[in-house]
């Protein structure tokens, strides 16, 4: 950490910073320019909260030198993490394709989606049983009944399951039914929830918050890792910006960047990132070109009757075409689909 | 709701929209221009999810005509909501001043803050016992021990208490100790939590999410109201933008706007909105000038030793000065402090 | 256009809207729901400024039904625009690769870059002679001397030239030297400049503003087209968001979307979009996967001595590798490089 | 400037940084922690472009220690700048109120606005003769004819004039007619324009760009100052964020902050910041409470017939009421109106 003093900082204020550094068990390292004094902390490798220095008188800025995440970093673990789900290696050579409806609405609807996406080559069924909806008046999901439907689809199709959790009280219930637990965008910094799933070993798909920085996203992964669960899959699904033509803005550079910063696998969600059916195909190709390890795509047997997210759900025939179109890009990237 | 068809929409696609409108129990109302066809829903006052139409073929845009929140709106309840907390009327003529440390660190620290802010004229003590921190390695709060400390401060000073909840499992615990439960910025769309506090009648201070629109904020209030708890206080605390000089960007126009859209009281948090001690005073004055019903301000007996948020915490002497400086503005706005 | 009245709009206010619609030569079309009245304009195809209605009493919202751009739209011209520059078809099957240094610093530096990028397969030399810099104390470019250097490089290598314009007074000068004029990100809504280049027929590379919507970007293209110059190339180069890890956020979905909305060719600038050398390769691949017609990439013979943008400039050897790596993706997209 | 090396930086890479520092005439100052090496530049007070170091191998981050603006800073000039316009002191005790229509449409309309705002207490007439419009099909202003109309209004009412410039070619023309030249939001980084007005001594009202940071805004002021014109007035008029309820988001903290960072006077534009007539009053009060030195407000004799910005323009009667309502706040802030 580097502490930059204000241009008119007094000797007493500089002394205060030095004292605090020593109290924390670090060595201060002064550097006095013509205009400003800078005090570095020469350290013991421990992380220190920058706020502890920003609060001191005469301090202009505090610059962290070490990244705040550790277990999630490539510096900590240089080889990529591969997560085995029922024999499929997420983070391996093959792109993990997760597909299915936004909400589990009925056995028929979910089974039809499952059969079709399995046939087209997907290996995971996505579907929501507990649905976070911005309106209390909108469809809230079927709850445990929805989980049972998903389990039947797994039996029938062999697809592994991905579904969202909304409350720490549901961890046991979800572990009973699903193969991967999804932490949704609104709960990325719900620390009670992160701790609860961190105390299991079930793979966790951690969606990036709508307005969360890359660093905050990795810090939320760190919460899960630090609680003992090493099986974290990151998911980029678009951030909120001023642009309103698309539902969100896919931060595709974040995918390539996080593959460098972290050893964790990264999945792209082209459906939520854009909210527009016609962009799901292009953004799937883009995801693979960026180096993503997987895709999570909304597919509904009848999007025009979907209870949620119909406008961004693919028709099963469109999903068939999409899967075929991905082969070339995957191959160019040294991957398979 | 108005459905705008694409310029090349076919008669069959327009027919599909009309059929869906009729299925939902509304009357369609066509309007055919030279270039585009528009279909309105003449209604029964029920709310319909726009997604149900965006998913249909040939649809270019769907325009909601009614606001998605109802119980929170001025249209539903025109007179302002006033919430009585131990005899203080939040939303009444007097500005509700809530002050205290970010975190409850010890009895001494919290009591000293409480005594000082009470003496300066605050009527509520703020303080965190359960702390949401972006790093798993940062101080996480004292938990129930912290709540007990706050209760002792209430006994001593007569201040009412405001503290944050992080998990639905803690509702009963918090109701036992605090006078107002705070929903923090990261949990504004934690629907399990909103439902849990909605089933009590304790006043809830609902902070606007970092990334949340005014409409989403009011929809989260709607969740609490729709679950039966009418005692919601809104809190604007800055949104995330591209500007990094301040920690967040205080959306002051939202305060005046929400006072028009909704009957609920609104409080401003100048400490989190800016993250800079020197701006807490100006932004407190600004909050009152915008028509806010209260202020929530971080004050710490020794900000330079605070375990969190020291850089934005006022020294008690600064808080004294601030309170004095607010009289003139409050008076100009027809309020008292 | 559709005018949505406030829920308590009076008959007089509705009458005012109808009168204004008639004054403008349109027919009003009323639709009265249980809660709100809506007035549509059935039209003559002319565009009307929504502001003219927002200003009327009793109006809650105005919804444009027609897109505000016309000449730039696919509805106006369905086949893609192909722009011939010295025999190269921008918008055709072959990806247009533009490469070179941020600033023209000297004949040696520019020539070395030109020779290397030409050898690797680029067809256009980019380079700045007039440099917009956020500091008045930073290197401002060589001016006409820089243009002469670029012209020498064209003679030597056969590359076509792309360079930025900063003032309407320079149009003639730039037309004398360059093959494509670039409108930079800070000037996307400099209408004097858009008009000035619109009155020529030189191809214009129009960069999207840092915080400009897709619609505003296409409206700026419309300015150039409406002034008579049909040769507009759009360039996505990253938008400003809250994320600071990368210099900007590449809005890759905008590329695929604009290819649908407009007939104009689209180029991606992975260098400015990220500001990070290691991301230029991945984002070039991503651009092609999104359907872009070209790439504009910063390459410098000695990035560590560059007077500007060194951190995002490729070494010539890296550019060689990048060009090779693009073949597979281009082929998968049915393009050549 | 501080250069933070990557955790695996080699001795050769560190040597490269040291060499570059010495080449630039600074002294390097090493600080080697357990994990990372940091190299400071102990300086000669000159400013150095951080890009020069970001481009070097092995560099993780570059942290500027000195602010990039100088002439605009309080460190350079501690007493506030007061700009005399026809005897009125902008930046003095009295709040500068500038009011008038968005566009000059006719002599009658402008004169009526001028007479009314003068009577209510405004001291400056705002109005646009050259209008930047996002559509080439919208009203573009009356040009010099509009300037002549404004001059007649000055003769009649004694109001000083503020009007916008769009092209460096118009500097002489505008200096002939107006008292203050406005640089609009889209031209804040139009450096040709900044240089052109910087070479005069006419007071310049510099609006903050929609997408511009506080630092970039001050750097644009620096351009004007560095070219020799000391008469710069800053204007905060809302920034672009994800929130769409208001046209823009008024960054009110920026006003208080810039008053600390810079000696230049600051004006608030509540009309463009919100785009909503009902918010102009509250945001005017907020501006004064934040410490602004002036307000610039759109007033139109008949907003419902305005050719632009009608929805945010006040009726003259509303402006009368607003002016009266500002007295109390101004007094509470130790100002007059």
């Amino acid at each position: 950490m580097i502490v930059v003093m204000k241009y008119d900082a007094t000797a007493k204020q500089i002394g205060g910073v030095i004292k605090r550094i020593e109290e924390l068990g670090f060595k201060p390292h002064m550097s006095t320019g013509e205009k400003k004094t800078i005090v570095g902390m020469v350290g013991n490798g421990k992380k220190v909260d920058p706020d502890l220095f920003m609060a001191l008188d005469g301090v202009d800025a505090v610059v962290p030198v070490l990244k705040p995440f550790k277990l999630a970093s490539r510096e900590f673990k240089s080889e990529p993490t591969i997560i085995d789900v029922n024999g499929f290696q997420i983070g391996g050579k093959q792109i993990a394709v997760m597909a299915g409806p936004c909400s589990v609405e009925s056995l028929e609807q979910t089974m039809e989606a499952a059969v079709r996406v399995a046939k087209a080559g997907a290996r995971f069924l996505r579907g929501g049983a507990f649905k976070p909806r911005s309106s209390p008046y909108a469809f809230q999901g079927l709850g445990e009944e929805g989980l049972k439907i998903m389990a039947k689809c797994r039996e029938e199709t062999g697809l592994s399951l991905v579904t969202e959790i909304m409350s720490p009280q549901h961890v046991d219930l979800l572990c009973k039914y699903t193969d991967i637990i999804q932490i949704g965008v609104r709960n990325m910094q719900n620390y009670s929830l992160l701790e609860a799933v961190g105390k299991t070993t079930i793979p966790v798909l951690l969606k990036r918050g709508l307005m969360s920085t890359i660093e905050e996203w990795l810090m939320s992964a760190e919460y899960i890792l630090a609680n003992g669960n090493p099986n974290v899959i990151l998911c980029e699904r678009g951030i909120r910006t001023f642009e309103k033509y698309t539902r969100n803005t896919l931060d595709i550079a974040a995918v390539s960047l996080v593959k460098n910063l972290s050893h964790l696998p990264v999945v792209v969600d082209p459906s939520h990132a854009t909210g527009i059916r016609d962009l799901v195909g292009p953004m799937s190709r883009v995801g693979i070109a960026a180096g993503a390890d997987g895709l999570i795509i909304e597919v509904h047997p009848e999007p025009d009757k979907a209870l949620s997210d119909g406008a961004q759900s693919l028709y099963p025939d469109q999903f068939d075409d999409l899967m075929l179109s991905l082969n070339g890009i995957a191959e160019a990237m040294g991957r398979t689909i």
Side-chain angles (χ1 to χ4, degrees), chain A:
Chain A
M1 189 120 50
I2 298 162
V3 181
V4 181
M5 304 302 297
K6 288 185 178 159
Y7 77 106
D8 55 359
T10 62
K12 194 183 154 197
Q13 290 170 335
I14 296 170
V17 168
I18 290 171
K19 183 156 164 272
R20 173 59 55 94
I21 288 173
E22 290 172 341
E23 284 168 7
L24 291 164
F26 291 79
K27 282 195 215 114
H29 188 267
M30 298 265 301
S31 173
T32 306
E34 273 186 34
K35 301 221 171 164
K36 294 214 173 179
T37 293
I38 290 154
V39 192
M41 288 173 67
V42 180
N44 45 21
K46 279 196 308 182
K47 300 202 186 303
V48 173
D49 189 343
D51 274 2
L52 294 179
F53 288 90
M54 270 314 289
L56 298 183
D57 279 340
V59 171
D60 189 43
V62 179
V63 185
V65 169
L66 299 178
K67 297 196 169 38
F69 47 89
K70 184 184 162 196
L71 304 176
S73 73
R74 282 269 180 192
E75 302 177 11
F76 177 75
K77 176 169 180 293
S78 58
E79 74 279 20
T81 287
I82 292 180
I83 297 172
D84 186 293
V85 181
N86 300 330
F88 187 95
Q89 313 281 314
I90 298 179
K93 194 183 177 191
Q94 190 176 356
I95 304 290
V97 179
M98 308 169 178
C102 174
S103 300
V104 173
E105 298 165 15
S106 69
L107 176 59
E108 293 64 33
Q109 166 252 15
T110 310
M111 186 65 81
E112 189 176 341
V115 168
R116 289 296 303 267
V117 303
K119 201 174 152 200
R123 298 293 294 267
F124 297 83
L125 176 66
R126 60 146 294 149
F130 296 93
K131 297 296 304 170
R133 300 302 301 274
S134 53
S135 166
Y137 310 120
F139 176 62
Q140 309 277 322
L142 296 180
E144 186 169 3
E145 181 55 30
L147 299 175
K148 287 181 181 166
I149 288 172
M150 291 188 77
K152 276 186 201 149
C153 294
R154 175 173 48 197
E155 260 175 61
E156 185 76 20
T157 60
L159 294 171
S160 296
L161 304 181
V162 189
T163 198
E164 182 166 353
I165 190 167
M166 282 182 64
S167 172
Q169 291 147 314
H170 291 157
V171 170
D172 290 345
L173 181 69
L174 262 80
C175 284
K176 198 171 123 193
Y177 289 101
T178 191
D179 301 294
I180 301 177
I181 283 183
Q182 176 183 316
I183 302 273
V185 64
R186 295 174 183 84
N187 284 314
M188 194 201 86
Q189 294 189 313
N190 179 340
Y191 299 119
S192 304
L193 197 55
L194 296 177
E195 278 179 27
V197 300
K199 283 173 182 149
T200 72
T201 57
I202 193 167
V204 178
L205 184 83
L206 178 66
K207 291 205 158 186
R208 180 179 178 188
L210 211 52
M211 220 157 165
S212 300
T213 62
I214 291 169
E215 195 170 291
E216 288 167 343
W217 187 23
L218 290 172
M219 286 307 288
S220 287
E222 188 85 7
Y223 255 91
I224 301 172
L225 299 170
N227 275 280
N229 185 346
N231 300 312
V232 178
I233 304 155
L234 299 166
C235 178
E236 161 63 32
R237 43 76 72 210
I239 57 174
R240 181 168 275 179
T241 69
F242 65 85
E243 178 59 63
K244 297 291 157 183
Y245 223 109
T246 44
R247 185 165 164 179
N248 296 295
T249 299
L250 178 63
D251 184 2
I252 193 64
V255 174
S256 303
L257 186 63
V258 163
K259 292 292 298 174
N260 288 340
L261 290 174
S262 176
H263 51 87
L264 298 171
V266 182
V267 161
V268 166
D269 177 346
S271 307
H272 286 90
T274 62
I276 298 175
R277 194 181 291 144
D278 289 350
L279 291 176
V280 172
M283 293 307 106
S284 296
R285 289 187 279 277
V286 151
I288 296 175
D293 299 298
L295 297 170
I296 181 163
I297 298 173
E298 290 190 345
V299 178
H300 193 286
E302 296 177 285
D304 53 353
K305 293 190 181 155
L307 294 181
S308 55
D309 279 355
Q312 70 196 34
S313 296
L314 297 186
Y315 288 85
D317 288 353
Q318 292 177 312
F319 184 68
D320 291 347
D321 292 347
L322 171 59
M323 287 299 282
L324 289 174
S325 84
L326 298 179
N327 278 320
I329 299 271
E331 199 182 326
M333 295 298 295
R335 309 292 284 260
T336 59
I337 196 87

